[in-house]
Each structure stands twice: as C-alpha cells, then as structure tokens.
Amino acid sequence: MGKKIGFIGLGIMGKPMAKNLLKAGYSLVVFDINADAVNEVVAAGAEKGDSIKDVAQKSEIIITMLPNSPHVKQVVLGENGVLEGANPGAILVDMSSIAPLVSKEVSDAVKKKDIVMIDAPVSGGEPKAIDGTLSIMVGGPADAFEQVKDILEVMGGSVVRVGEIGSGNTTKLANQIIVALNIAAMSEAMVLATKAGVDPESVYQAIRGGLAGSTVLDAKVPLVLDRNFKPGFRIELHIKDLMNAIDTGHEVGVPLPLTTQIMEIMQALKVDGKAKDDHGGVVQFYEKLAQIEVKRSSK
Ligand code: NAD
C-alpha cells in the first residue's frame, strides 16, 4: 500500500505505533539504537534499516519518535542522519514531543534539501498508542499534512492541524501543563481523603461522574490504588516537557507559576529515585509529606 515509510525510535510509543502501521498494510523500514526493539518490529513485518541514513534513503515519509530536542537534532541533522539520506521531496514527520523552537530550526535546516517537515506530537500514552487512538496535534504546511493524514489516522483517533511548523509542539506543551496539574490535584485530593479516613476508591467512584471527573482521573486513580507506577509516561519525560513549556513561556513572555511548582515536585521525585516511574507516581510526593499511602482498602 502507498508510500514507503521510515520509522526511527521504537520505544514505549514508537513500537506500537509502527506495529499499527504494519497492521494497516503499510511497508516500513525501521531503526532504533535498541536492537531488541528493532527485532520485535521486524518480527511484526518491518524491514530492518542498517542506519538512520539507510532508513531515510529508502523512504518517502520518515517518522521520528524520539525522547527530546537533542535526539531529534542528532538523528535528523547529525552525521549519517536523516538529512544526509533523505531524497528531495520526502516528508519528515517528527512525532516526538520537543521544544517548538527546535521544530522550526530543524524544519529550516531540512528545507535546504527540499524536505518538508511536520511536527506531530501525540497525547494518550501507551494504551492509546496500542489502540491506535492517540490525539495527534499537527504543525506544518497544509499540503504536506494532506499527504500524511491517512498515515496519522492509522495511529490516531483524532488528528488536528493547528497551524504552521512548531504549533503542534506548542499545543503539546499546553496539553502537558493540563495533564501535570490534573495529576497534582488528583494526588493532593486523594491523600487528603485517605488521611481524613475515607476510602480513596469510594471517593473516586463518588466524584468521577461530576465536574472533577477527567480522563486523567480515570486513567491514573486505578493505577495509584493498585500501587502500579510502571511507565506509561515517565516522570523524567514529563519534567522535560514542563522545562520546554517554561523555556517557551520565558521566550514569549508568559509566567507559568503552577507549571513551575509541579515541575519542582517532579524534580523532588527524581532526586528520590523515582524518575522512571509513571507520572501517576507524583502521588508519592504528597504521600511522603503526609505519611500515608493511597491504596485499595483490601490491600
Ligand atoms: P522511549 O524512551 O520509550 O523511546 C524513545 C526511543 O528512541 C528509544 O527506543 C530509544 O532507544 C530511541 N532513541 C533514542 N536516541 C536514538 C537515536 N539517536 N537513534 C535511534 N533511536 C534512538 O520514549 P517514549 O515514551 O516512546 O516517548 C517518545 C516521545 O513521545 C517523547 O518525546 C515523549 O515525551 C512522547 N510521548 C510519550 C508518551 C508516553 O506515554 N510514553 C505519551 C505521549 C508522548
């Protein structure tokens, strides 16, 4: 089917996203520095790329799903990278969550070789990556977006173009502020209810249908009650997003007082050895302060 897709970055998110493209009948050539991840996606039907450059040479559309701005710069602009390999006319779709300014920088650099870049970060976490129901926020030229929309719709339940290059990542920063502060509010509230002597599971069931109900509440409270902090979305990655939000706020002149607080709470958890926990693990910060644990009454 259709165009050959290169996929670079097969982590918690990239692996299920690539597998969904294979299931939909697309032909994929893949690369990651983690050989196990590559082997798993090759077993699902992808071709193994010898290098990033090799993947780019063989693809009309190149998707990247990497941790942060420096990784995207390295993979795209570095030696033996995407830019060296890609053919003029190729479309680079960076689905990583990175600083909007870096999206613009990388886009300007690849334009010189007639490569168009789109930033298309996602929200929804591993479960929605597996289901192919991610929310995808797209920045970049409208005509390039039209050419990759079908592919994005395989991975996403909602695919919305919000503006020019960088605006996908600006939207993602807004998303990450809202998610982080929701998790903090949920944690603070659940610790209060538990220490005041009310069963936290009953509190959750009582409030989830009202105004306090949210996707975050439904996704994270059951995991907290099970004491399951396996990522999902790692605290260290959320710190990265909030730092990008704070930097962007400083660039454009927007103070972000609450974002700074939750970022420092996550920083405290990192110091406490919990950087690789799921971001639902923020509850542990409040639990330590209050000397109580939020869990099912049967546990
Ligand atoms: P991850 O760390 O699990 O995966 C990143 C992958 O990139 C790894 O497999 C790593 O080996 C690979 N990689 C790193 N440097 C590389 C290089 N130079 N060349 C080739 N491969 C390289 O991270 P993830 O959770 O999959 O997240 C990826 C992006 O998606 C991040 O920007 C993250 O913020 C964002 N995101 C994650 C989630 C989530 O719930 N995990 C949700 C939404 C968005």
Side-chain angles (χ1 to χ4, degrees):
M1 183 204 284
K3 295 179 171 165
K4 180 110 180 193
I5 302 171
F7 205 115
I8 302 161
L10 305 168
I12 289 178
M13 298 296 284
K15 202 191 295 175
M17 289 161 70
K19 284 184 179 174
N20 281 334
L21 290 171
L22 289 167
K23 262 189 236 152
Y26 286 99
S27 121
L28 251 63
V29 49
V30 300
F31 185 81
D32 194 295
I33 45 178
N34 175 356
D36 290 345
V38 172
N39 291 338
E40 198 180 321
V41 182
V42 167
E47 179 189 342
K48 181 176 175 173
D50 295 333
S51 63
I52 294 165
K53 185 175 171 180
D54 180 49
V55 167
Q57 268 166 347
K58 290 176 175 161
S59 311
E60 292 154 272
I61 291 160
I62 302 140
I63 298 177
T64 43
M65 191 52 167
L66 300 158
N68 195 11
S69 309
H71 309 83
V72 172
K73 272 187 161 176
Q74 173 65 32
V75 163
V76 178
L77 307 177
E79 204 176 323
N80 277 319
V82 170
L83 186 57
E84 278 188 25
N87 303 299
I91 301 177
L92 168 63
V93 184
D94 179 34
M95 303 191 73
S96 330
S97 307
I98 69 169
L101 213 64
V102 174
S103 297
K104 287 183 200 147
E105 268 176 53
V106 175
S107 165
D108 285 345
V110 300
K111 244 181 227 161
K112 292 179 186 128
K113 207 177 156 185
D114 198 20
I115 294 155
V116 182
M117 175 166 160
I118 279 177
D119 62 320
V122 310
S123 175
E126 190 186 19
K128 293 197 172 203
I130 293 169
D131 293 349
T133 55
L134 292 163
S135 295
I136 307 184
M137 307 145 235
V138 185
D143 51 343
F145 172 58
E146 285 307 320
Q147 290 181 62
V148 297
K149 201 167 169 221
D150 287 355
I151 292 170
L152 294 177
E153 278 170 351
V154 170
M155 297 177 277
S158 121
V159 180
V160 178
R161 179 179 174 268
V162 286
E164 294 307 327
I165 186 74
S167 52
N169 271 307
T170 302
T171 308
K172 174 68 183 177
L173 294 181
N175 181 86
Q176 292 306 78
I177 291 173
I178 293 169
V179 170
L181 290 171
N182 261 283
I183 292 175
M186 165 200 108
S187 301
E188 210 165 286
M190 285 296 159
V191 167
L192 172 70
T194 306
K195 192 147 188 192
V198 187
D199 170 39
E201 190 172 5
S202 305
V203 173
Y204 165 57
Q205 292 300 345
I207 67 176
R208 62 182 292 264
L211 195 54
S214 69
T215 309
V216 163
L217 207 69
D218 284 338
K220 300 300 176 187
V221 171
L223 295 178
V224 169
L225 293 170
D226 286 340
R227 311 307 294 167
N228 177 1
F229 301 124
K230 179 180 168 286
F233 190 64
R234 298 191 298 275
I235 286 172
E236 63 187 3
L237 283 178
H238 215 144
I239 291 176
K240 172 264 302 185
D241 288 335
L242 298 177
M243 286 303 294
N244 284 338
I246 291 164
D247 287 347
T248 304
H250 289 169
E251 274 157 29
V252 301
V254 177
L256 299 169
L258 292 177
T259 304
T260 310
Q261 275 202 21
I262 178 61
M263 195 279 290
E264 291 294 341
I265 287 172
M266 290 188 185
Q267 198 67 33
L269 287 158
K270 183 178 170 188
V271 173
D272 202 14
K274 302 190 187 311
K276 299 202 184 302
D277 278 9
D278 185 71
H279 54 173
V282 160
V283 72
Q284 296 165 103
F285 173 85
Y286 292 93
E287 289 175 339
K288 208 165 192 175
L289 292 181
Q291 296 292 302
I292 194 98
E293 203 166 86
V294 179
K295 58 185 176 194
R296 293 189 202 280
S297 48
S298 57
K299 279 216 159 190

